[in-house]
Amino acid sequence: MVDRVEERFELRPKRLIGDTAYGTAPMLGWMVEEKGIEPHMPVWDKSARKDDTFSNSDFTWVAEANEYRCPAGKPLRSNWRPFKNPRSHVTQADTIIYRASQSDCKDCAMKPQCCPNMTFRKIARSIHENARDVARRLRETEGYQQSRCERKKVEMLFAHLKRILKLDRLRLRGLSGAQDEFTTAAIAQNLRRLAKLASPIHPLGGQVAPAGNEMR
Ligand code: SF4
């Protein structure tokens, strides 16, 4: 949709607001790296561990050295030796695996909290991790909070369409059928809202008194 709008009207949004479903690594990569759009959405991240061992977030990324530092200050690297033919190290899941050194982990006092069942610790870093970091940083801003409020308002309208106006599924077939049905439902919703706004009934249930004759 973003591409279509850009093609047709030469318009590109500065930010996009969405829920976690839009916070996947490829989607964030596309938004940040390809389109230069601010992603105002939570990052889809399943790396947090629930067994009290260190999560990926306990490791520090050092961009200049292209490595992670573990809580014991040791490096995790994608390649520990130079290869004759340079390798990208990108896996099928579009990640790069960073490994700690077996000799560092062997005698580490933190091993039980880090990699109790492995000889050394590994971290899979998405090739879109920089875009994911952009989304994480944006989450701390006031702009993100504002986006959240705005999203809530829009989501409420869709929820209303589905639950109250029963637009939980489309009855007409084809694109034009869907368009007609959706437009009709949106008109009905707007008329309802208009009627509510124009109603003299106070939201708390009482009548709105004419100006200069307030009800007590
Ligand atoms: S076990 Fe290895 S990776 Fe984990 S904290 Fe110790 S040295 Fe670092």
Side-chain angles (χ1 to χ4, degrees):
M1 192 172 78
V2 170
D3 283 338
R4 265 206 324 265
V5 171
E6 195 178 351
E7 256 175 48
R8 213 178 277 183
F9 304 109
E10 293 182 11
L11 285 174
R12 184 186 289 180
K14 284 194 181 130
R15 64 194 164 117
L16 275 180
I17 309 168
D19 59 19
T20 319
Y22 294 91
T24 58
M27 180 67 96
L28 292 175
W30 174 79
M31 263 185 250
V32 176
E33 290 151 10
E34 225 176 282
K35 294 285 172 189
I37 299 171
E38 282 187 10
H40 286 219
M41 56 204 57
V43 175
W44 179 288
D45 193 353
K46 300 279 172 204
S47 66
R49 294 189 172 184
K50 294 182 183 134
D51 59 358
D52 286 340
T53 58
F54 294 143
S55 293
N56 289 5
S57 55
D58 294 313
F59 292 70
T60 311
W61 172 244
V62 186
E64 315 81 60
N66 184 28
E67 65 184 32
Y68 279 97
R69 290 278 158 77
C70 70
K74 305 290 184 194
L76 283 82
R77 295 183 182 141
S78 57
N79 56 334
W80 281 90
R81 63 183 172 89
F83 290 94
K84 216 164 148 191
N85 299 318
R87 301 177 182 186
S88 74
H89 298 284
V90 178
T91 65
Q92 281 187 346
D94 278 346
T95 57
I96 296 175
I97 309 294
Y98 287 79
R99 296 174 176 82
S101 147
Q102 194 168 332
S103 57
D104 285 338
C105 295
K106 187 163 58 91
D107 303 318
C108 177
M110 294 180 180
K111 194 167 184 302
Q113 293 160 269
C114 186
C115 48
N117 306 318
M118 294 166 71
T119 46
F120 55 89
R121 177 65 188 250
K122 287 189 227 172
I123 288 185
R125 179 180 171 84
S126 166
I127 57 168
H128 304 296
E129 200 62 37
N130 288 339
R132 281 157 54 96
D133 284 341
V134 169
R136 288 187 187 108
R137 281 197 295 276
L138 280 169
R139 247 196 123 164
E140 309 303 321
T141 62
E142 270 179 36
Y144 183 91
Q145 295 311 321
Q146 190 193 335
S147 297
R148 265 186 61 150
C149 295
E150 287 169 4
R151 184 166 81 86
K152 225 178 252 175
K153 285 183 202 163
V154 176
E155 297 280 353
M156 290 270 286
L157 292 178
F158 278 101
H160 184 267
L161 272 177
K162 283 183 188 169
R163 291 206 197 119
I164 312 295
L165 299 183
K166 304 290 177 207
L167 198 73
D168 47 352
R169 69 183 180 86
L170 295 171
R171 276 94 181 156
L172 301 178
R173 287 177 183 228
L175 210 58
S176 60
Q179 194 172 4
D180 290 350
E181 212 172 323
F182 191 83
T183 309
T184 313
I187 291 170
Q189 187 178 44
N190 281 337
L191 286 173
R192 273 178 68 116
R193 295 181 74 209
L194 199 64
K196 231 180 209 176
L197 285 173
S199 160
I201 304 292
H202 190 271
L204 294 177
Q207 292 280 324
V208 175
N213 187 22
E214 282 81 13
M215 288 170 76
R216 293 175 194 277

